[in-house]
């Protein structure tokens, strides 16, 4: 296993050869994430360099967005506690709405979502959470894809529709790596 997590055979595997790979994904619990402490404070200069794309904050990010992120993070013992505080604030202060208004041209979309419309769907929620985490020095990325869909019990497969499209945030923790939140 390489340092980036890739697996490389110690010998050349000839074309047509068969091989088996057995892997296990560790179960990541809240206690494990809590135990990671404040991620921003743990990043070495090399870590900051390697994770730089996931630490960038757009120039359009407003002082109000940064102040909200700072206020909610204040006194938290770990990055995981900060994530929970941000999620709790969003559940209490914004509404999930597929018909959320589009911000005016030139307006920061995260600021509009957090302070003006307070309405959005998964992309607005994930964007806001990503930017808020990055203001705290936490590597975060917005991921998009699909939820599992509905399982067809007869065929034994999942039926995934366009309505299953979703966006979420992934946070980089030093030991377990990228974790969806």
């Amino acid at each position: 296993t390489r340092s980036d997590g890739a697996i490389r055979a110690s010998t050349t595997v000839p074309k047509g050869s068969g091989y088996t790979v057995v892997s296990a994904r560790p179960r990541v619990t809240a206690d494990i994430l809590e135990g990671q402490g404040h991620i921003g404070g743990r990043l070495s200069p090399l870590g900051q360099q390697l994770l730089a794309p996931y630490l960038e904050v757009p120039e359009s990010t407003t002082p109000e967005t940064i102040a909200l992120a700072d206020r909610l993070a204040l006194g938290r013992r770990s990055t995981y506690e900060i994530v929970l505080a941000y999620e709790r604030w969003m559940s209490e202060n914004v509404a999930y709405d597929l018909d959320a208004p589009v911000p005016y041209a030139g307006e920061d979309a995260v600021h509009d979502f957090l302070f003006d419309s307070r309405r959005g769907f998964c992309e607005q929620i994930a964007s806001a959470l990503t930017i808020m985490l990055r203001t705290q020095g936490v590597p975060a990325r917005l991921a998009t894809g699909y939820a599992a869909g509905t399982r067809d019990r007869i065929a034994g497969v999942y039926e995934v529709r366009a309505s299953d499209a979703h966006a979420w945030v992934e946070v980089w923790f030093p030991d377990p790596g990228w974790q969806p939140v």
Side-chain angles (χ1 to χ4, degrees):
T1 304
R2 297 186 332 197
S3 61
D4 66 355
I7 298 173
R8 183 179 177 107
S10 59
T11 61
T12 302
V13 180
K15 184 177 181 177
S17 296
Y19 60 92
T20 301
V21 175
V22 178
S23 67
R25 184 174 180 176
R27 181 173 163 84
V28 179
T29 64
D31 287 340
I32 290 171
L33 297 180
E34 176 71 34
Q36 298 292 291
H38 283 284
I39 295 169
R42 292 186 60 189
L43 290 177
S44 67
L46 178 60
Q48 290 176 359
Q49 180 183 352
L50 293 173
L51 293 166
Y54 309 108
L55 292 165
E56 292 178 0
V57 177
E59 288 183 24
S60 63
T61 303
T62 64
E64 293 85 0
T65 297
I66 296 169
L68 174 64
D70 289 347
R71 179 173 57 83
L72 295 173
L74 188 64
R76 306 291 175 190
R77 295 176 303 170
S78 69
T79 294
Y80 183 65
E81 279 191 7
I82 293 170
V83 168
L84 295 177
Y86 290 173
E87 288 177 340
R88 188 171 32 259
W89 185 89
M90 287 198 194
S91 71
E92 295 169 356
N93 292 280
V94 300
Y96 186 88
D97 184 353
L98 290 174
D99 295 318
V102 176
Y104 294 111
E107 184 174 9
D108 181 77
V110 169
H111 177 94
D112 178 70
F113 169 69
L114 293 173
F115 301 102
D116 298 333
S117 75
R118 293 193 176 219
R119 294 174 24 220
F121 45 95
C122 55
E123 288 179 355
Q124 284 89 351
I125 295 166
S127 295
L129 183 54
T130 299
I131 297 306
M132 291 171 70
L133 286 164
R134 288 180 179 187
T135 69
Q136 304 304 302
V138 176
R141 64 187 181 191
L142 186 140
T144 58
Y146 292 87
T150 307
R151 188 167 194 273
D152 180 328
R153 292 179 185 217
I154 296 171
V157 297
Y158 283 88
E159 192 172 299
V160 179
R161 296 185 168 96
S163 60
D164 293 313
H166 191 48
W168 60 94
V169 178
E170 294 180 344
V171 176
W172 184 83
F173 289 88
D175 293 332
W178 290 105
Q179 296 298 309
V181 298

